[in-house]
């Protein structure tokens, strides 16, 4: 399954490039992600995703196969296996950064393969979950890059620590509830229209007969 996402961050492209390679800094922006080790090329860690009352945990590695600083292009290959189960997840992520009006436009293409319990939700739902994950990541990253100093100053003035991003695992069922409900409503509406049309046709036939 291929996914494509785009977002912008309010810093120059060189700064955004360095930030995205600072794994320990950006990992907390991804819900449920934990980095255990990073040597500059290989990331070892885990990701948790809630499926209703069940939490699915993946443990694995992600390797930077390409880091082209001049072109601002990176390729990351990640693979993991459920810690309790037979499910697997594998993704090849290609990120490209482009200067845009003083900020940076980030384009992310993901080739994703998932087996196990999350796979039962299908391509469409997983794509919607991916949209929400990337959206949350982008907002968090933008805040960290563009507002971290302001947040730190405000926290110092009121005498409390700066607020950290939510590190709770993503609740998959809660995330897909709205899209699934919308699809169900659309299906019911379509069915209602078909029933209405069929009823009118039947009435006309009875009238003409």
């Amino acid at each position: 399954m291929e996914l494509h996402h785009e977002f912008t961050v309010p810093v120059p492209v060189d700064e955004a490039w360095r930030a995205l390679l600072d794994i320990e800094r950006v990992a907390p922006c991804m819900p449920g992600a934990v980095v255990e080790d990073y040597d500059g090329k290989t990331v070892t860690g885990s990701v948790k995703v809630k499926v209703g009352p069940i939490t699915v945990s993946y443990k694995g590695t992600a390797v930077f196969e390409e880091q082209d600083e001049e072109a601002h292009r990176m390729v990351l290959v990640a693979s993991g296996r459920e810690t309790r189960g037979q499910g697997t997840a594998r993704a090849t992520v290609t990120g490209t950064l482009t200067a845009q009006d003083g900020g940076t436009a980030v384009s992310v293409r993901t080739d994703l393969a998932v087996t196990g319990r999350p796979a039962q939700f299908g391509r469409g739902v997983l794509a919607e979950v991916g949209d929400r994950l990337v959206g949350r990541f982008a907002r968090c990253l933008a805040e960290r890059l563009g507002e971290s100093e302001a947040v730190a100053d405000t926290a110092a003035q009121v005498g409390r620590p700066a607020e950290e991003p939510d590190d709770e695992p993503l609740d998959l069922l809660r995330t897909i509830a709205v899209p699934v409900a919308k699809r169900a409503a659309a299906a019911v509406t379509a069915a209602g229209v078909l029933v209405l049309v069929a009823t009118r046709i039947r009435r006309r036939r009875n009238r003409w007969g």
Side-chain angles (χ1 to χ4, degrees), residues 109-134:
R109 292 190 178 276
T110 306
D111 185 358
L112 176 66
V114 179
T115 67
R117 286 169 288 180
Q120 68 182 310
F121 294 106
R123 177 189 178 92
V125 171
L126 289 178
E128 289 167 344
V129 171
D131 290 342
R132 283 161 176 73
L133 268 174
V134 172

Side-chain angles (χ1 to χ4, degrees), residues 40-65:
K41 182 178 181 180
T42 302
V43 185
T44 301
S46 61
V47 176
K48 292 183 179 180
V49 179
K50 291 183 65 177
V51 185
I54 302 172
T55 299
V56 182
S57 298
Y58 294 95
K59 189 174 181 63
T61 60
V63 180
F64 280 101
E65 290 197 342

